[in-house]
Structure formats: C-alpha cells, structure tokens
Amino acid sequence: MNSAKLDHAPPAPPAPVAVVAPQTRAAPPGRARRFLAKSGAPFGYLSPTMILIFVLMIIPIVMVISYSFKDNVIVQQNSVFVGFANYTTVLTDPDFLAALKNTFVFITVSTVAHLVLGLGFALMLNTSLLSGWTKAIFRIIYILPWLFTVAVIAVIWRLMLDPSGVVNYLLTTLGGMQEGVNWLSDPGKALWALTFINIWAGFPFFMISILAGLQGISGDLYEAASVDGAGPVRQFWNVTIPQLRPVLISMAVLDLIWTSQQFALIWMTTGGGPLNVTEMLSTYTYKQAFSSYEFATASAAAVIVLLLTMVLAFFYVRLQKER
Amino acid sequence: MLTRKRRRLGAKIAVFTGLCLGAAFAGLPVVWMLSTSFKPNGEVFAVPPKLFTKNFSFDAYTAILSDGAQLRFFLNSYVVALSVTALTLLVAILAAYGFSRYEFPLKKSINAVIISVQAVPPITLVIPYFGLVVTLGLYNTYPGLILTHMVFTLPYAIIMMTAYFNTLPKELDESVKVDGASSWTALWRVLVPVSVPGMVAVGVYTFMISWNEYLFALTLTRTDDMRTVPIGIQLLMGQHSYEWNQMMAMSILGSIPVLILFLLFQRRFIGGLTSGAVKA
C-alpha cells in the first residue's frame, strides 16, 4: 500500500519475547474440540472482519463495476444501462492512452532504479570492511526518505526543484549547466523529475529487504566459491544474485503494484501536468470523477486499473507459490 | 602482504566514499527541509544557498503552532489515526484468534480474500466510497475516514497478529479452557497479555498508515475543520503565497509522530524483517 508510502509493506512481527513454559495439563478430548469448532465460535471471532470486508470491499467493487456499465451515476438520478459505452469512451480517449503510457514508464523506471539502488546500498551496508557503528549510522540515513509521508516528500522536492532552488543552483555552478530548469513544469522533463522523486522515496524499503536477504546467505557458499577461484565479481553473479533472486523478483512485482497506485505524489507535485505528460491512470481516474464529475467513465477507468493490478497480483501469487 | 593490506584499505575507502555519496542522496533533501524551516521566508531562495542562516529562528514553528486552523489538522489526524489503531487492533485480534486456534469451513478462502484486499487499488475504491459515504451520511465526518482507512490497515494487521498467535503454544489457552473458562476469557486473559510486543508492532504500523493516508482524506472530507495533516500541508501550498519556511516547519511537525515511533521501535521493525528473512 502507499499512499501509504509507508504503504510499503511492513516487517514481519517480532518473535514473542516471553517463552511460556509448556503446560502439562491434558488437552481437551477431541470430541469437545470438535463441538467448539462446530458451534460457530470461529465465525463469531471473524464476524467483525467479514462484515467490514463485505461493506468496504465486496460492495464497493460491485458498485464500481455496476457504475461502469451505466450512465448518470452518483451526481444524477435515473441512471441507465449503457453496456460497454463507458469503456469505449475511456479506451479511445487519447488522455487515457497517454496516462497508460506514462504509468508504464513511471513504474518500470522506478522499479528498476529501486532494485539497482537498493541492491547497491545493501551490498555496501553489508560490507565487513567497516565497523558496525558506522554501518548503523549510514543505515538510519538511508532509511530517512522512507519515513516521510508523500505530502512531505512532495513539498521537499518542490522546494529543491524550484527554478531558483538549490538543485538548479548546484547544477549551474558545479555541473556546468547554462541556466536553471523548471523541472516540474517543463513538458520534456516533468515525467523524469517525478520518477526521480519516486525513486528517492522508495529505495529504502528495497534496501532493507535486500539487506535482510544478504544476511541470510550462508558464508559457506562464498567460501566454496573462493576455493574454486571465483573473485568478488564472479561471486556476486554466481552466488549473491542467484540467492537473492526470489527476494528481488517478488519485491519488483510488489513495487510495480505499489507504484502504479501512486496518486498523492503526482497530485501534489505536477497534478498530471504540464500538458498531461505526467498524467497517470490514478490521476486520470481521479480527475474524471472529482474534477469533471464523470463518475461513470471514471468507474470504467477504475475497473481497468483494477484488472491491470489483478494481472500483476496474479504473477505475484504464482511467484510466491513457486517459492 | 603489503599490497594485500593496501588493497583492503583501497576497498575500504571506495566503500566509504560510496556510502557517503548515497547518504548525500538520501539525506541532503531532509537536511535542506530542516534548514529551510529555520530561515526567514525571504532567505529561502538566497543565492548562494546557505545551510545555516544568520537569522536562525523558530518563527515558522510558532506561526504554525499558534494558528488554530493548523492545530485542528493535527487534532484531526490524531483522532483518526488513534481510532483506526484501536479499532484495527480489536478487530484483528478477534480475527487472528479465530484463524490461529480454529479449523472451520472456508478458512482458506476467507484468508485468501483478506490477503487479496491488499492489492486492490485505492483509486478503484474511492469512487464507490464517495457514493457510500454520502449515502450513509458519513461524508466529511471522522467515522467516514476511520472506516475507510481500516480497509488498508486491517488485512496486514490480521496477517501479522495471526502469525504472532501461531507462535504461542496452544496449551496456553487450552489450559484455561479446561478449568471451565470460555475461549473468550482465554483470549483476553491469557493470549492478549503475552502478545503485547506483537500488538505494538501492528499498532505502530497501523498508526503510520492512517497518519499518512492522503487520497481518502482528500475526497471524503470537504471543510478545513475535518482535514488531516497531509491535506493541511497541501493547503498551506495554496493559501499562503508560498511561505516555504512554514511549509517545511509544518512538514517536520507532521512527521514527528512517525519519526518518534520509528526511532522507538526501530530494532523491532528492522529486526523483525531480518529475522523473518533468515528463517525463510
């Protein structure tokens, strides 16, 4: 989840600290246990969850699908069934197709960069050359971007990337650039600036997960490789990467899903502009609904987004099963 | 021997340089935010930029903290995030107890639904939520925000709590049941008290998600007295003609709860992740 930028998935729960001594009393007889299970107790415990999921997930999805086949929904009375007309409208809208293309560029570039940066930083933090303290300090600095909410990240980068901001100052004085660039308003650069911000915001979660994966690789594998005469580069490609492969692939698929759901960052930096160059599926759908009040076409777009996410989620589940 | 030592030193310098460059990439924007929050607004885009201003002041912070409208954003965020945390914990503990201690029909399917809820895009939900919340009369109210935030927090909380309960021996609650107590008593008197570390982890994570949520807070509230901190930060961009120092001060004040929670529970967060990966 992102928006929960901290939408990034959380760590596993810690193991319980207090280990309780096993009790010596006899377990209840099988019949009693079966009676308890049949008595519906588990459904009692699950009922609040099931009601919430029904109201907050099942009903809304049914609603949005039914909206997408109708006209005049939410803001007007007397909605009529229009078949796939809303889908035709959306799929032939050049703005939607641009949003689809932009989303594709945004999520693939972000994910690849997250992987490369996360892996690079994790490898450096995993070195045996530096003391534990030094590494702990660097680790906290590296996690910093992950700790700020998207609204704050948007404000920080609007300050940094302002035409008279500090990034342009550094690039013109040190980088030899001739004049300042309006990063977020220049149609040729806005998508790349936005992707850069997203890369900054998202790499720490990759780094933490990959670091955990690195620490799980047995030292014996490296020893065996070095006995066989493999240098650090061969060890990286023949031991580290194959061992990390499952972590890297599932992180990448999760990141594609999360990044495709990013809304707040885009909305608060470029708003989809200039000239639609940073319009994404999420901002397109939002504008259809809450700026144009075209809730029916917005619903069709929302269902398309849901279907695309389901394709990615399907791959994720398949990968998890292979592990 | 000497060349080997030298090569090691070379590698050390290379890694250290790499780490410093990475730290600049990750940390400088945060340092710049902090530095800007202490500047007078006229100095924000001064050339050349200065990290430390001569006119250091807390004016931006006092401006935010003495403004009732801004404080209201914080109050709203605390009310929403704390309610979401309490309700999520309550519902997740009950569900996790059911999943962890019972076998029942459809268990696998219900579990699959809960897991898949996490992948549903918020933008898909926000349109029907708008319709639902207006119909139920919850538009622009706390309950509307609290309920909808729970759709994000509940699935993960249930998965985490179930995993936690699974690590506790069944003999623990069954011993109480043999003495005639109900499973309800066993849950609250025995399991919950020993599950505090797991509940803290779930609670912290839930609080962070709710505190940071943006899309639902934007669409399901209307008036400024119901807005939360992330929306407040955005409103500050529009209404004042770019008081950058105040925007940065507000951003820092808005990040403090999450920063404190992270620093307090850092080991649990990173450690939990690490140990999980090692076990896998």
Side-chain angles (χ1 to χ4, degrees):
Chain A
M1 304 191 222
N2 145 43
S3 35
K5 168 175 105 178
L6 280 163
D7 281 34
H8 290 174
V17 182
V19 176
V20 182
Q23 306 281 312
T24 47
R25 269 181 229 271
R31 222 189 318 153
R33 204 185 282 171
R34 242 174 286 138
F35 171 72
L36 265 179
K38 269 189 192 159
S39 73
F43 288 107
Y45 286 115
L46 280 168
S47 54
T49 303
M50 293 192 327
I51 293 169
L52 280 171
I53 300 250
F54 187 73
V55 174
L56 294 174
M57 187 57 59
I58 314 284
I59 292 181
I61 288 179
V62 171
M63 281 170 74
V64 76
I65 292 173
S66 82
Y67 286 164
S68 73
F69 290 109
K70 288 180 190 164
D71 211 341
N72 300 337
V73 295
I74 296 188
V75 281
Q76 283 150 303
Q77 304 290 310
N78 309 322
S79 53
V80 282
F81 182 79
V82 294
F84 284 92
N86 293 321
Y87 289 92
T88 319
T89 311
V90 168
L91 289 170
T92 53
D93 182 352
D95 288 352
F96 177 82
L97 298 175
L100 195 64
K101 195 196 93 212
N102 294 335
T103 306
F104 180 78
V105 172
F106 181 62
I107 69 175
T108 45
V109 174
S110 294
T111 303
V112 170
H114 282 158
L115 266 182
V116 172
L117 282 180
L119 183 62
F121 290 154
L123 284 170
M124 290 195 294
L125 283 179
N126 199 37
T127 177
S128 53
L129 295 165
L130 299 172
S131 76
W133 266 104
T134 319
K135 288 191 282 185
I137 291 167
F138 275 116
R139 196 178 61 186
I140 291 191
I141 298 174
Y142 284 176
I143 290 173
L144 273 179
W146 190 55
L147 295 178
F148 293 96
T149 181
V150 181
V152 173
I153 289 167
V155 173
I156 294 180
W157 284 99
R158 282 182 69 152
L159 172 73
M160 304 268 301
L161 294 176
D162 191 277
S164 41
V166 69
V167 168
N168 274 341
Y169 174 81
L170 290 177
L171 287 176
T172 43
T173 49
L174 305 173
M177 212 171 63
Q178 289 306 307
E179 53 187 34
V181 172
N182 200 339
W183 295 100
L184 294 168
S185 320
D186 181 333
K189 304 200 171 62
L191 183 57
W192 301 108
L194 184 62
T195 310
F196 178 85
I197 300 174
N198 190 57
I199 292 167
W200 182 83
F203 82 86
F205 186 68
F206 269 72
M207 187 197 73
I208 300 170
S209 306
I210 294 172
L211 189 58
L214 282 175
Q215 287 162 353
I217 301 176
S218 156
D220 297 351
L221 290 173
Y222 290 105
E223 237 164 69
S226 75
V227 169
D228 290 346
V233 178
R234 291 255 324 262
Q235 285 185 22
F236 173 75
W237 288 109
N238 294 339
V239 179
T240 312
I241 291 294
Q243 288 289 310
L244 286 180
R245 221 180 79 102
V247 178
L248 296 180
I249 293 178
S250 54
M251 293 289 299
V253 179
L254 273 184
D255 197 37
L256 290 174
I257 298 177
W258 289 329
T259 311
S260 69
Q261 298 179 351
Q262 182 61 266
F263 168 79
L265 183 65
I266 306 150
W267 195 243
M268 292 188 65
T269 48
T270 63
L275 301 172
N276 288 350
V277 296
T278 62
E279 193 82 280
M280 307 279 169
L281 293 175
S282 58
T283 52
Y284 174 85
T285 311
Y286 180 87
K287 282 181 185 170
Q288 286 290 318
F290 298 100
S291 306
S292 317
Y293 300 106
E294 295 286 349
F295 283 96
T297 47
S299 297
V303 172
I304 295 171
V305 172
L306 178 66
L307 291 174
L308 292 175
T309 307
M310 276 166 61
V311 172
L312 285 173
F314 175 76
F315 277 115
Y316 181 72
V317 173
R318 280 263 303 262
L319 287 166
Q320 293 296 310
K321 280 196 180 143
E322 275 169 31
R323 283 173 83 180
Chain B
M1 195 61 197
L2 189 72
T3 51
R4 217 172 168 194
K5 230 178 188 174
R6 236 186 227 169
R7 197 182 286 171
R8 206 179 142 79
L9 183 71
K12 208 170 174 173
I13 292 171
V15 170
F16 192 75
T17 316
L19 280 172
C20 286
L21 285 175
F25 169 70
L28 278 185
V30 179
V31 172
W32 193 247
M33 163 171 72
L34 203 61
S35 146
T36 302
S37 73
F38 296 121
K39 288 177 187 171
N41 201 42
E43 232 178 81
V44 169
F45 293 121
V47 179
K50 281 196 189 95
L51 200 52
F52 299 103
T53 169
K54 273 182 208 143
N55 305 312
F56 180 96
S57 81
F58 286 99
D59 289 354
Y61 290 87
T62 39
I64 295 288
L65 290 173
S66 60
D67 182 343
Q70 310 297 333
L71 292 179
R72 179 76 197 201
F73 299 141
F74 282 91
L75 174 74
N76 292 340
S77 271
Y78 276 111
V79 169
V80 171
L82 289 174
S83 315
V84 169
T85 306
L87 286 171
T88 300
L89 270 176
L90 176 67
V91 176
I93 284 171
L94 293 175
Y97 187 66
F99 276 125
S100 170
R101 294 305 198 247
Y102 293 96
E103 289 303 325
F104 50 92
L106 295 178
K107 181 172 174 175
K108 280 220 170 112
S109 327
I110 297 173
N111 199 28
V113 170
I114 291 173
I115 291 173
S116 57
V117 162
Q118 292 178 293
V120 176
I123 195 73
T124 303
L125 293 174
V126 76
I127 297 165
Y129 278 5
F130 183 72
L132 265 181
V133 158
V134 170
T135 314
L136 296 173
L138 297 177
Y139 184 59
N140 204 34
T141 64
Y142 288 139
L145 273 188
I146 294 165
L147 265 177
T148 51
H149 282 185
M150 282 180 74
V151 80
F152 292 132
T153 58
L154 202 51
Y156 202 81
I158 292 174
I159 295 165
M160 270 169 106
M161 276 321 293
T162 307
Y164 197 87
F165 282 164
N166 281 341
T167 64
L168 302 171
K170 281 193 180 171
E171 288 79 5
L172 203 62
D173 37 325
E174 309 233 319
S175 67
V176 192
K177 282 195 234 163
V178 167
D179 290 341
S182 63
S183 61
W184 181 259
T185 319
L187 169 62
W188 293 107
R189 290 276 164 81
V190 182
L191 275 190
V192 167
V194 295
S195 302
V196 170
M199 288 161 56
V200 168
V202 174
V204 168
Y205 187 66
T206 304
F207 184 91
M208 287 176 165
I209 291 180
S210 179
W211 185 271
N212 291 334
E213 204 285 325
Y214 178 84
L215 179 61
F216 293 171
L218 177 69
T219 43
L220 304 181
T221 63
R222 189 186 63 238
T223 55
D224 282 356
D225 64 330
M226 289 308 297
R227 299 294 203 180
T228 56
V229 170
I231 312 292
I233 293 172
Q234 186 201 10
L235 287 174
L236 214 50
M237 272 200 271
Q239 65 190 199
H240 305 277
S241 50
Y242 285 84
E243 303 274 352
W244 286 102
N245 54 350
Q246 286 187 28
M247 276 160 55
M248 296 302 136
M250 176 86 177
S251 296
I252 288 164
L253 292 170
S255 306
I256 281 177
V258 170
L259 287 176
I260 289 177
L261 285 173
F262 178 79
L263 286 177
L264 284 178
F265 300 105
Q266 201 216 139
R267 271 226 323 242
R268 196 156 280 165
F269 257 69
I270 297 173
L273 195 83
T274 312
S275 65
V278 172
K279 267 183 227 142

